[in-house]
Amino acid sequence: MAGQTLIEKILRSHLVDGDLTPGQGCRIHIDQTLCQDATGTMAFLELEAMGVEQVKTEVSVQYVDHNTSQFGPENHNDHLYLQSVTAAKGVYFSRPGNGICHQVHLERFGEPGKTLLGSDSHTPTNGGLGMLAIGAGGLDVAAAMAGAPFAMTAPKVIGVRLNGRLRPWVCAKDVILHLLSILSTKGNVGCAMEYFGPGVETLSVPERATITNMGAELGVTSSVFPSDEKTRSFLRAQSRENVWRPLAADDDAVYEQVIDIDLEQLEPLAACPSSPDHIAPLKELSGKPVSQVLIGSCTNSSYRDLMLAAEVLRTHRVAPGVSLAIAPGSRQVMRMLADNGGLAAIIGGGARILETACGPCIGQGLSPASDEVTVRTFNRNFKGRTGTPHDQCYLVGVEGALLAAINGCLTDPLACGMEYPQTSEPDSFTVDDSLIIPPPEDRQGIEIIRKDTVGDPPLCLPYPQDINGEVVINVGDKVTTDHIMPAGTFLKYRSNIPKYSEAVFNCFNEPGKPTFAERAFSVSEAGRHGVIVAGESYGQGSSREHAAICPMYLGIRLVLAQSIERIHAANLINFGILPLYFQNPEDKAKVDQGFTILIEKVGEQLRSGEEVNLIVISTDHHRFDLTCVHRLSKTDIDMVLAGGRLNMV
Ligand code: MIC
Ligand code: SF4
């Protein structure tokens, strides 16, 4: 038998049933889960709707990190619900102020060789520790908490062989930006990334986690590093050496494809507006004026990243025209900086200190001025995600961000003429888990607090026998879940589906014309089924299942697309929306807004093969046939026909 990749080894040791041949369906046992508040509130409402009394995983953690600004009672209502429901169901609760889920999980819970399912697309961050960590919709995570195996497609494993060592001023972010320049954000569904080679040991666990974090932007299922002596020292410094074990691929492991990266040759890069794969070398952007710089997010807010900020700001001040704000990734990081004087240096240099949370990364404040350049160490720069409609957002590593902040313009770090500050991983991190509340031993009679803004998950009707559809919108390529369901000021409505649904496709609404929600509603009121038509890579980005729930609530039953990203396709199925794919790319242009789509005997067609026959009637009554394909497993078909996973349970 050929040697195994590390991903294959972890999958094999967790296989419940199915086939691990790439492209085939399999189900794996999930050891740990994580939720954050923006998706977790719905996930726990779903868990309750399934009638689950106690979670069955080894460890499940609920974090509060997204909705912490608390404008109005909604956020705090969600927090109270989450704190009480987690206590009742046997889940750890990480309180607001404790930090961003992925960073805290890496510090306090992640374990090499285990599986982690999280209701957040950046869950693979913990692959930096040698975990198989996968992002999913809230309902899939709720099912995993209930003990159900996770159904997935066995991935094609892309190997990344790292050689050499990063030069000063070149950072881990540049490794993943380089990969994004090669693989782009689309076309990688069904793949997973595995890192190996002599360069691995030159990277610390937090640096590895920066790389696995942005694997989410590639659209791959997971990204995994081996577990080695570096992993061991990180866990030892977190007082958790007991969970360490060595893990690596076999020497003769066979990868689908191998990408060689010589770390020595990499240069500082940036993702330009408005996609994480619009990559350019910083030297080509050098001199571009910048008025805002933000350091933080689950990609770049580790102790190492912020100590670099402290070292630079010890001797340099923020340029007068720039607002620099810094959000440490966790309370541990913030605390250590406070204790060692790093925080004083950051404040002294002129930075604004933000809470340890997602904050501006998810549009919670700090929107940049119109047409001004904002430089961020985050992972996503989709148009409008900053909260400013025509934003100019560049994504860089902490090095590039700091130089932009002190120089007032984008700067090539390799030509900055400054000595590279020395930072090192601490021998021991300050461990204080007092903001992580373990579930009580005695969980009898715990009252679950549900204030009025915390609604029920909406029910979906079983799938109609025939579709009598109308196209409510036809969108282009790379439409993200941020386009479908905006976050920012709408984020607080995550547990109020009727209210949040008003914002579906908000960015495509035009003043004075009916909104998407209004159009979808009138289609549904007329007794017809809403249809969304999309191009390539529909549903990129976030795992938010609201991008399926809210359209479902508005009566959408069908998505016709050229391709759909993994998590979003699963969310559609979970909520009874049928995803179908055009056979020919040209077909998309033939189906416009207002067109009628008829599908007869949907169930029979789905069960009898891959092809589904549609009749399309244009607004000027021209009628033609169209063949699409579905990629549903037998269970998926049952789920769609039942009207979603909750109905099946
Ligand atoms: C994001 O980065 O877009 C989020 C907010 O973390 C999402 C989850 C959400 O929408 O709640 C994600 O990446 O899954
Ligand atoms: Fe939070 Fe941003 Fe990370 Fe999403 S990408 S988990 S919003 S920090």
Side-chain angles (χ1 to χ4, degrees):
M1 184 164 132
Q4 292 180 59
T5 65
L6 175 52
I7 291 180
E8 200 179 334
K9 288 184 189 184
I10 305 181
L11 282 173
R12 207 167 283 288
S13 63
H14 288 79
L15 188 65
V16 174
D17 50 36
D19 184 350
L20 288 184
T21 313
Q24 297 302 307
C26 64
R27 295 195 310 154
I28 58 165
H29 176 76
I30 296 297
D31 302 317
Q32 301 191 347
T33 65
L34 75 75
C35 293
Q36 37 88 340
D37 50 335
T39 53
T41 310
M42 197 43 72
F44 276 93
L45 289 164
E46 289 156 356
L47 190 85
E48 284 196 88
M50 288 184 219
V52 177
E53 290 300 333
Q54 291 295 308
V55 301
K56 307 250 170 42
T57 40
E58 286 173 20
V59 171
S60 284
V61 193
Q62 168 65 51
Y63 295 90
V64 176
D65 52 0
H66 283 63
N67 272 327
T68 57
S69 38
Q70 299 180 218
F71 290 109
E74 292 87 350
N75 295 170
H76 199 195
N77 287 351
D78 285 355
H79 303 172
L80 291 180
Y81 168 69
L82 287 170
Q83 185 158 356
S84 56
V85 75
T86 49
K89 305 284 176 199
V91 173
Y92 288 86
F93 181 71
S94 172
R95 300 183 63 191
N98 199 44
I100 304 173
C101 53
H102 311 302
Q103 173 71 21
V104 179
H105 208 86
L106 197 74
E107 293 168 356
R108 306 306 307 143
F109 291 102
E111 287 187 34
K114 299 273 181 179
T115 52
L116 167 68
L117 195 71
S119 63
D120 191 281
S121 63
H122 290 103
T123 302
T125 309
N126 270 257
L129 266 181
M131 286 192 103
L132 184 67
I134 302 176
L139 190 46
D140 284 331
V141 178
M145 286 194 271
F150 175 63
M152 61 185 282
T153 305
K156 296 182 199 154
V157 182
I158 301 178
V160 182
R161 181 167 31 225
L162 301 177
N163 279 302
R165 179 184 287 276
L166 292 167
R167 290 177 285 169
W169 292 110
V170 186
C171 59
K173 183 76 156 268
D174 299 315
V175 177
I176 186 68
L177 293 180
H178 175 67
L179 280 168
L180 277 154
S181 76
I182 300 173
L183 295 173
S184 88
T185 58
K186 61 182 173 64
N188 306 312
V189 174
C191 299
M193 310 298 289
E194 182 168 311
Y195 296 83
F196 66 99
V200 166
E201 66 177 31
T202 68
L203 298 170
S204 67
V205 166
E207 289 177 305
R208 297 174 189 182
T210 295
I211 297 171
T212 50
N213 173 279
M214 277 191 85
E217 277 51 69
L218 293 167
V220 295
T221 307
S222 192
S223 299
V224 181
F225 268 86
S227 167
D228 57 7
E229 285 303 320
K230 275 277 165 68
T231 322
R232 184 183 204 158
S233 14
F234 175 81
L235 287 167
R236 186 187 307 125
Q238 290 287 353
S239 306
R240 300 203 294 123
E241 192 178 355
N242 58 317
V243 304
W244 179 76
R245 56 182 169 125
L247 289 170
D250 292 333
D251 290 339
D252 56 346
V254 181
Y255 293 97
E256 181 72 23
Q257 171 195 356
V258 172
I259 299 175
D260 276 290
I261 298 184
D262 184 353
L263 297 173
E264 208 85 42
Q265 299 295 321
L266 283 185
E267 57 177 338
L269 300 171
C272 304
S274 292
S275 179
D277 60 358
H278 286 174
I279 307 296
L282 264 172
K283 67 170 184 279
E284 284 174 18
L285 303 166
S286 195
K288 193 170 203 37
V290 167
S291 63
Q292 184 192 57
V293 177
L294 304 181
I295 296 178
S297 92
C298 54
T299 316
N300 275 121
S301 57
S302 64
Y303 175 79
R304 175 262 168 206
D305 283 339
L306 292 214
M307 278 313 290
L308 187 80
E311 294 313 328
V312 170
L313 294 173
R314 222 183 275 288
T315 46
H316 295 78
R317 289 196 59 80
V318 175
V322 176
S323 174
L324 166 67
I326 299 187
S330 68
R331 178 167 170 263
Q332 180 182 75
V333 171
M334 176 85 114
R335 168 87 184 265
M336 289 177 68
L337 256 73
D339 288 342
N340 70 12
L343 192 57
I346 289 176
I347 296 170
R352 301 162 64 177
I353 305 299
L354 305 180
E355 191 186 14
T356 54
C358 301
C361 179
I362 191 59
Q364 301 299 289
L366 280 99
S367 302
S370 314
D371 306 318
E372 292 290 309
V373 169
T374 177
V375 173
R376 301 175 168 212
T377 65
F378 306 169
N379 47 41
R380 291 188 171 142
N381 58 349
F382 305 143
K383 196 160 229 21
R385 185 169 157 107
T386 62
T388 297
H390 301 287
D391 50 9
Q392 295 293 316
C393 179
Y394 290 77
L395 306 175
V396 298
V398 176
E399 285 77 353
L402 287 164
L403 293 171
I406 61 178
N407 293 337
C409 59
L410 286 173
T411 303
D412 175 13
L414 293 179
C416 72
M418 241 168 90
E419 201 178 320
Y420 191 53
Q422 283 309 315
T423 54
S424 58
E425 281 295 294
D427 293 334
S428 71
F429 291 93
T430 305
V431 174
D432 167 4
D433 288 335
S434 56
L435 289 195
I436 300 176
I437 305 179
E441 292 281 316
D442 179 8
R443 304 202 268 273
Q444 293 297 317
I446 293 179
E447 189 208 344
I448 298 177
I449 304 172
R450 244 170 115 166
K451 305 272 185 194
D452 57 347
T453 58
V454 181
D456 288 313
L459 278 182
C460 179
L461 296 174
Y463 212 78
Q465 211 182 343
D466 305 311
I467 280 285
N468 172 6
E470 180 176 326
V471 179
V472 187
I473 200 165
N474 181 334
V475 293
D477 292 339
K478 296 205 320 193
V479 164
T480 72
T481 48
D482 277 71
H483 295 110
I484 307 172
M485 273 336 295
T489 50
F490 298 99
L491 195 58
K492 65 179 183 179
Y493 299 123
R494 283 285 173 94
S495 50
N496 182 345
I497 299 301
K499 179 78 190 152
Y500 197 27
S501 296
E502 292 169 14
V504 180
F505 284 124
N506 192 48
C507 62
F508 296 122
N509 289 336
E510 291 175 50
K513 294 199 179 150
T515 63
F516 175 87
E518 287 162 349
R519 299 201 304 274
F521 228 73
S522 48
V523 166
S524 151
E525 263 180 355
R528 308 187 69 201
H529 309 116
V531 179
I532 292 170
V533 175
E536 275 189 280
S537 193
Y538 181 63
Q540 270 191 16
S542 154
S543 67
R544 57 190 74 152
E545 60 185 354
H546 297 78
I549 302 179
C550 294
M552 179 275 276
Y553 177 78
L554 297 173
I556 301 295
R557 299 307 306 250
L558 178 67
V559 170
L560 288 180
Q562 264 167 264
S563 62
I564 307 181
E565 291 299 305
R566 174 186 66 88
I567 305 179
H568 187 58
N571 286 337
L572 291 173
I573 296 164
N574 274 348
F575 290 94
I577 299 178
L578 174 63
L580 291 182
Y581 302 86
F582 292 113
Q583 266 184 329
N584 303 311
E586 309 84 61
D587 287 344
K588 179 188 174 266
K590 298 182 191 156
V591 186
D592 224 340
Q593 191 173 312
F595 283 25
T596 294
I597 307 275
L598 306 174
I599 313 181
E600 283 178 5
K601 302 202 176 77
V602 180
E604 257 177 53
Q605 292 209 48
L606 293 177
R607 290 207 164 98
S608 65
E610 270 217 329
E611 292 188 351
V612 178
N613 298 313
L614 284 64
I615 296 167
V616 183
I617 307 172
S618 69
T619 34
D620 53 11
H621 312 294
H622 171 63
R623 185 183 172 109
F624 60 97
D625 293 328
L626 187 71
T627 306
C628 289
V629 291
H630 77 79
R631 300 193 185 127
L632 305 178
S633 68
K634 205 187 144 306
T635 321
D636 293 340
I637 295 175
D638 292 344
M639 208 177 284
V640 169
L641 296 180
R645 186 164 193 151
L646 280 180
N647 287 359
M648 260 175 101
V649 177

